[in-house]
Structure formats: structure tokens, C-alpha cells
Amino acid sequence: QVQLVESGGGLVPAGGSLRLSCAASGRLFSIYAMRWYRQAPGEQREMVARMTRDGITNVADSVKGRFTISGNISHIDLQMNNLKPEDTAVYYCKAFATARDNWGQGTQVTVSP
């Protein structure tokens, strides 16, 4: 079992920055990838950024140039710059593990116009 705890959400004006963190605990050896997702009200959950155990990273086209994922398989951060109102969503961390996938509880990000 893997437990995930996200932090760092909040309210910022457009153009501002936030840094989200996701800390994993438990069976860390079983994790082979970590991802950040977000879900806006009335929308489907979408992948924002991902990292493999080998440190290979990738971000979605919608946030490329503004969001950066960093860290390692037990702790990942999402640096979000030049935030836009359309970035408003609940952000979730997900760990892909050999036994089962695990979600964090989510952290709210609200960007005011």
C-alpha cells in the first residue's frame, strides 16, 4: 500500500505561481511512476505531468512552458508559473505501483482573473 499526501494549493491571482508537493509513504519500492492530474468542476480528470522511476518527465501540452515537475519517486513537486483562471481545479497526485494504483486526497488550486 502507498499513501500520498498533497500540499501547496491555494488562491492566487492570474499570472501568479504555486508549488504543489506530493509525498509518498509506504511501499515505495513498488512505485514505478508518479503523475499529477487535475479536475475542474464539470470536467474530466486530465493528466498534467508525469515522472517515471528513472526520472523521465513529461508535461501536458496545455501547461508546457508554465508547469514543471521535479523530484523523485517518493516526493514530486509541481511548479506552476504564469497561472491562468483555466488552471483552476483540484490537483491530484497518483502513484502507479505494482500492486495497485493510489490517489492522493487532492488539493484545490484557484486562480482569480
Side-chain angles (χ1 to χ4, degrees):
Q1 188 80 357
V2 173
Q3 295 79 42
L4 301 171
V5 178
E6 299 111 330
S7 61
L11 171 65
V12 294
S17 298
L18 280 175
R19 189 177 185 88
L20 305 183
S21 293
C22 174
S25 61
R27 298 168 64 89
L28 300 181
F29 62 88
S30 69
I31 301 173
Y32 57 88
M34 297 274 276
R35 293 185 184 182
W36 281 102
Y37 288 79
R38 68 184 181 185
Q39 188 166 22
E43 301 289 333
Q44 289 190 334
R45 196 169 293 190
E46 65 170 341
M47 194 276 291
V48 175
R50 57 188 175 185
M51 174 183 285
T52 69
R53 190 174 190 88
D54 296 333
I56 298 171
T57 62
N58 182 260
V59 298
D61 288 342
S62 59
V63 303
K64 196 163 289 184
R66 300 188 298 120
F67 290 14
T68 304
I69 185 171
S70 63
N72 54 59
I73 211 66
S74 65
H75 186 118
I76 58 170
D77 291 331
L78 185 68
Q79 178 66 41
M80 305 185 295
N81 297 327
N82 190 23
L83 283 161
K84 304 176 181 180
E86 51 263 42
D87 295 319
T88 295
V90 178
Y91 285 70
Y92 297 91
C93 177
K94 182 177 182 180
F96 292 79
T98 52
R100 54 168 286 183
D101 298 338
N102 303 268
W103 289 93
Q105 81 284 358
T107 185
Q108 176 70 45
V109 171
T110 303
V111 185
S112 60

